[in-house]
Amino acid sequence: MKNPPAKPSQLITKEFARQLNVNYNNKKASLTAKKAQKEDANAIWYSLEELENYIHYIKTNGAKDGYNVDGIRFYFGVYPDDEAHGEKAGLTTLFLVPTGKKAVNKNDQVQSFSLIKEASSADIQSLEPMNYGNIGRPPSLLY
């Protein structure tokens, strides 16, 4: 391999990941399960194909909407407690929202540097979030 990928700076140890997962199970998922009287998801899985497709979708459509897409924010959510959501009603989900900045036209760079500096990545409201990862069967996994 000529150009191996750079090691991501956000990597954590497997032990710390396990600790985070145990903390979640002890503090959050167990509360939800007691209230709902059913086992809640503590992990969500997306295939590489789904993620690559979503990344391609948000980059392409974000550019059409005038954004430089620079990331994905992951939000926790809970499905509404109604019959329309079937067995997922009241349970945890994870959804993805693209982030970015409005592309700056080179001709419009009359703005002051401080204004440009303040423009931080924000959720892009014109693009749809992604949801419906697979929680697996049974839903509860241990890291």
Side-chain angles (χ1 to χ4, degrees), residues 2 16 18 32 34 38 40 62 71 76-77 81 96 99-100 106 108 130 138:
K2 279 188 173 179
F16 187 57
R18 191 171 297 111
T32 304
K34 284 177 193 165
K38 53 186 167 180
D40 198 5
F76 292 104
D81 234 344
L96 289 60
T99 64
K106 299 250 189 239
D108 295 341
M130 183 167 107

Side-chain angles (χ1 to χ4, degrees), residues 16-141:
F16 187 57
R18 191 171 297 111
Q19 180 186 357
L20 293 174
N21 185 245
V22 166
N23 289 349
Y24 179 83
N25 292 336
N26 290 341
K27 294 183 185 208
K28 304 291 183 190
S30 62
L31 294 174
T32 304
K34 284 177 193 165
K35 187 177 173 187
Q37 302 207 340
K38 53 186 167 180
E39 193 174 15
D40 198 5
N42 69 348
I44 309 290
W45 180 86
Y46 292 97
S47 71
L48 287 177
E49 185 178 351
E50 289 169 325
L51 291 171
E52 288 169 344
N53 186 53
Y54 188 61
I55 291 168
H56 179 66
Y57 167 81
I58 62 176
K59 281 182 164 183
T60 302
N61 290 294
K64 287 179 190 173
D65 289 350
Y67 285 92
N68 291 322
V69 176
D70 62 7
I72 297 174
R73 185 167 283 121
F74 293 75
Y75 283 97
F76 292 104
V78 174
Y79 286 103
D81 234 344
D82 60 47
E83 291 176 14
H85 295 282
E87 62 182 18
K88 292 181 179 183
L91 296 181
T92 301
T93 188
L94 185 73
F95 60 94
L96 289 60
V97 176
T99 64
K101 300 175 187 156
K102 269 290 194 187
V104 179
N105 185 336
K106 299 250 189 239
N107 298 332
D108 295 341
Q109 288 186 343
V110 193
Q111 300 174 343
S112 73
F113 177 71
S114 62
L115 285 177
I116 294 170
K117 194 174 154 186
E118 286 177 23
S120 61
S121 292
D123 293 358
I124 300 174
Q125 300 297 321
S126 62
L127 299 175
E128 297 89 347
M130 183 167 107
N131 192 11
Y132 306 115
N134 185 338
I135 61 172
R137 291 283 160 243
S140 185
L141 299 171

